Amino acid sequence: MTDMEQTFIRSAITEVLPDLPEMTKDILEETLQSLGVETYEDFQFVNEADLLSALRPIQARKVLAAWKLRCQTPESSSSSVGGSPGPSASLMSYSPRSSSSTSSDSCKRPDIDWMDSFVIPWDKFPEELMQTLERGKRPSPQMRREMVRILVCEMKRKSTCLSKIHTIEVAKKIVAKYPTSLQDIIEGDVIGPGYHSLVKQLQNRIENVKRSTTPKIRKRKNGTDESDTDEVPPEQRAAIQDTYGCIKWDLKFLPLGETEESQQEKKEKLRVMSKQTDVNPEEVKLLMKSTFYTQRKQVNQGTNIKSLLQEWPFWFDDLGMAVHFKELTGSELQETFTRNLDLKGKRLLNYMNTVAVYKSKRLLQALTKFKVMRGELSGCSEDVKDMVLLLLSYFDEKEDTMFCYVEDTCLAGEVQMDQVQLTPTIVVW
C-alpha cells in the first residue's frame, strides 16, 4: 500500500478517535490494510468483529458509524427524514439495536438475564491458580487453560447458545478483578482492550466443546428454479465447514467424472512423476487437485505420515503442498504468508532491534550473533530466519522445543521420532 493510502487511513482513524494512542492507531491501520481497505467506500464493508483486535467494542461501533455515514451517497442521504442526512437518522441504521438485528437469530444477541446474574466460579478454580492471581503473578499456560475450561463449563450450564458477546462480558469481569495477572500486556503497554487473548481462548474452547466428529455443512441458500440450472458460484456451493478454517475437511462424494479406479491411476502417475526431474508443474497441480478427495480420505482415516510420504510424495513438496492447502482452506499458502510477512515483518524486526534489544540480555546476545552470521546460512530469507530465532529469544523459549538437529547425511526416514517433541518441530539438517 502506498504512503498516500496509509495517510488516508490514518486520517480517517484520527478524525473519529483523535485521542487514540499512537500504538493502537498503528495496529488499527495495519488491520484495515490487511482487510483490503483502499477507499472511503470500502469502510462500509468493515464489520465490528474486524476491529475488536485493536479497539474496544464502543470505539469500534463509533468509528464504523462515522465512516459509514460519510460513505452515504447524496441519493441515499436525500431520502432520509426531512431531506437532511442528520446524524441521528443515519446512525440509527447502524445501531446494534436496530430493527434488522432484532429479526436475526437469537443466538447472536446477548442473553441479558443470565449474563447479569452470572458469577465467576472462583471457588471452583484450583488453589494454585487462585494463589497466583491473588499475588498478582501471571498464571502458567496450563493453569490458564484450566481456568478457561471451568469458565466455559459454567457458562454452558447457564446457556447452550454462547456467542462472542458472552465471552467478552465474562473476560471483562475476570480481567477487571485481576488485571495484573490476566491483562494483555507487552513491555508494560496494555494491548487493545486488555482482554482480547482471554476472549479468543474462551471462544476456541466453546468451539472445541461444540465440535462433533462429523464436520458441519454450510448449505447453499435456496434460489429460484432458474438458478438451479445455472452454474453456482464457488462461494455458494455446499461446502464442508470445519471449525479451524477448513472448507473441505471431509468430502462426501468423488468429483464428477471420477471413479475409485481413476483416482488410483492418477495416484500412481503422481508417484512415477515424483521420481522424474523434468515434470510439468501444471500437470502435477491438476493431478493433485483432482485426487484431493482420496488424499483427504486417507488423512481422516488416520494414515501415518510415513505411509503418506510414500503414497503422495508431491504432498511433501512445495508444489503439492500449496495445491492441497488451497483446496483445504481456500487460501493461497505462499501468498498469505508472504503478504503477512511484508505487512508486519519489517516492523517486528525494527522493534526487536531498537526497543526490545535493550530489555533482554539474551535477545541482545542473539541479535549480535545473527548479525555476524547473516548471509552464512542457506535456505529462506534472512529476515524470516531472524524473526523466528529472535522471537525464541524474546519469549525466552528453548531452541530444542522447536528445532530437532540431525546430521547432514541423515535421511528423512532415519530421524528418530521418539527424540522429536510432540509439539510442531522443525527438523534441521
Side-chain angles (χ1 to χ4, degrees):
M1 185 172 284
T2 64
D3 292 339
M4 180 179 66
E5 289 170 330
Q6 290 180 355
T7 303
F8 136 73
I9 292 179
R10 177 56 71 94
S11 63
I13 298 171
T14 306
E15 182 180 347
V16 184
L17 298 173
D19 298 329
L20 201 65
E22 291 302 316
M23 178 179 292
T24 307
K25 288 181 181 179
D26 291 339
I27 297 173
L28 180 56
E29 185 176 2
E30 285 189 0
T31 301
L32 292 169
Q33 290 173 6
S34 65
L35 291 173
V37 174
E38 297 178 351
T39 65
Y40 250 109
E41 285 70 23
D42 292 339
F43 283 127
Q44 62 186 308
F45 303 110
V46 180
N47 298 320
E48 180 183 334
D50 297 330
L51 307 180
L52 291 181
S53 61
L55 299 176
R56 294 182 174 88
I58 295 300
Q59 292 175 323
R61 295 168 193 167
K62 185 184 296 184
V63 296
L64 286 176
W67 290 342
K68 290 180 179 180
L69 178 62
R70 179 163 179 171
C71 290
Q72 283 188 322
T73 61
E75 290 80 3
S76 63
S77 298
S78 62
S79 63
S80 60
V81 179
S84 172
S88 59
S90 301
L91 291 178
M92 283 181 64
S93 62
Y94 306 113
S95 170
R97 298 184 180 274
S98 62
S99 59
S100 62
S101 65
T102 59
S103 62
S104 62
D105 189 86
S106 60
C107 289
K108 296 180 181 179
R109 296 174 297 162
D111 188 337
I112 301 299
D113 294 336
W114 80 264
M115 277 305 303
D116 288 343
S117 60
F118 182 74
V119 178
I120 304 297
W122 305 110
D123 57 327
K124 295 186 178 182
F125 289 161
E127 178 66 20
E128 183 182 2
L129 172 62
M130 291 306 302
Q131 290 288 342
T132 301
L133 297 177
E134 290 293 343
R135 287 174 167 77
K137 297 181 179 180
R138 307 289 290 188
S140 67
Q142 182 179 0
M143 285 193 290
R144 187 168 168 127
R145 288 193 297 269
E146 180 64 20
M147 177 184 71
V148 169
R149 282 194 287 268
I150 295 172
L151 283 172
V152 171
C153 181
E154 292 301 311
M155 291 167 68
K156 287 185 69 66
R157 290 182 179 179
K158 295 289 186 179
S159 174
T160 57
C161 188
L162 300 175
S163 67
K164 185 175 182 179
I165 298 178
H166 297 130
T167 59
I168 289 175
E169 292 301 317
V170 171
K172 278 184 182 178
K173 288 182 180 180
I174 194 168
V175 172
K177 184 170 179 65
Y178 296 106
T180 307
S181 300
L182 300 172
Q183 207 168 35
D184 298 337
I185 298 176
I186 295 181
E187 299 296 341
D189 296 323
V190 178
I191 306 302
Y195 50 78
H196 182 67
S197 65
L198 183 55
V199 170
K200 293 298 293 183
Q201 279 188 281
L202 289 169
Q203 285 183 282
N204 290 338
R205 178 59 183 170
I206 291 171
E207 289 298 321
N208 286 338
V209 171
K210 291 193 300 183
R211 188 183 185 196
S212 61
T213 54
T214 303
K216 300 177 182 178
I217 298 180
R218 186 175 62 249
K219 293 184 178 179
R220 183 171 67 240
K221 294 182 179 179
N222 294 328
T224 62
D225 293 338
E226 293 181 357
S227 65
D228 291 337
T229 60
D230 296 335
E231 182 180 356
V232 181
E235 62 272 12
Q236 293 183 6
R237 295 175 187 160
I240 302 301
Q241 178 64 57
D242 182 68
T243 54
Y244 290 101
C246 301
I247 62 174
K248 293 182 181 179
W249 176 266
D250 185 23
L251 300 181
K252 299 299 182 184
F253 306 102
L254 278 165
L256 291 176
E258 289 287 337
T259 63
E260 296 289 348
E261 292 74 18
S262 65
Q263 290 277 294
Q264 186 64 29
E265 289 175 2
K266 292 179 178 180
K267 177 181 175 181
E268 291 300 325
K269 186 174 182 180
L270 282 168
R271 292 176 63 179
V272 172
M273 294 175 66
S274 68
K275 301 176 182 179
Q276 300 173 356
T277 57
D278 56 345
V279 295
N280 184 351
E282 294 304 320
E283 185 179 4
V284 173
K285 290 180 181 179
L286 184 60
L287 290 171
M288 286 294 293
K289 185 175 181 180
S290 61
T291 55
F292 178 78
Y293 169 87
T294 304
Q295 297 170 34
R296 291 309 310 168
K297 286 299 179 185
Q298 287 194 242
V299 172
N300 294 341
Q301 289 169 2
T303 306
N304 61 59
I305 295 294
K306 187 175 182 180
S307 298
L308 290 174
L309 177 60
Q310 293 174 350
E311 297 185 29
W312 303 96
F314 274 112
W315 201 1
F316 296 82
D317 184 82
D318 293 349
L319 185 62
M321 187 183 298
V323 174
H324 190 93
F325 186 87
K326 175 64 183 298
E327 291 296 307
L328 181 63
T329 66
S331 302
E332 296 285 354
L333 175 59
Q334 188 168 356
E335 289 183 9
T336 301
F337 176 77
T338 304
R339 182 173 63 252
N340 283 280
L341 186 63
D342 293 340
L343 185 64
K344 301 177 181 179
K346 292 295 184 184
R347 183 181 175 197
L348 176 61
L349 286 176
N350 182 61
Y351 174 78
M352 292 290 187
N353 280 274
T354 59
V355 179
V357 65
Y358 298 109
K359 300 181 179 181
S360 170
K361 182 179 179 180
R362 181 184 171 188
L363 185 62
L364 176 60
Q365 294 173 342
L367 188 62
T368 304
K369 174 184 175 181
F370 299 150
K371 285 182 178 179
V372 174
M373 297 175 59
R374 195 172 180 88
E376 295 181 5
L377 303 177
S378 60
C380 57
S381 73
E382 300 291 343
D383 286 349
V384 174
K385 289 183 288 190
D386 284 359
M387 275 191 289
V388 172
L389 297 173
L390 287 174
L391 283 171
L392 281 177
S393 299
Y394 181 83
F395 290 108
D396 202 24
E397 296 282 357
K398 297 180 180 179
E399 283 194 22
D400 56 8
T401 61
M402 177 169 284
F403 301 110
C404 175
Y405 296 95
V406 297
E407 297 294 335
D408 295 343
T409 56
C410 181
L411 300 176
E414 298 174 347
V415 177
Q416 299 296 321
M417 297 306 296
D418 57 341
Q419 299 178 5
V420 178
Q421 296 285 338
L422 294 177
T423 54
T425 305
I426 300 175
V427 178
V428 184
W429 276 266

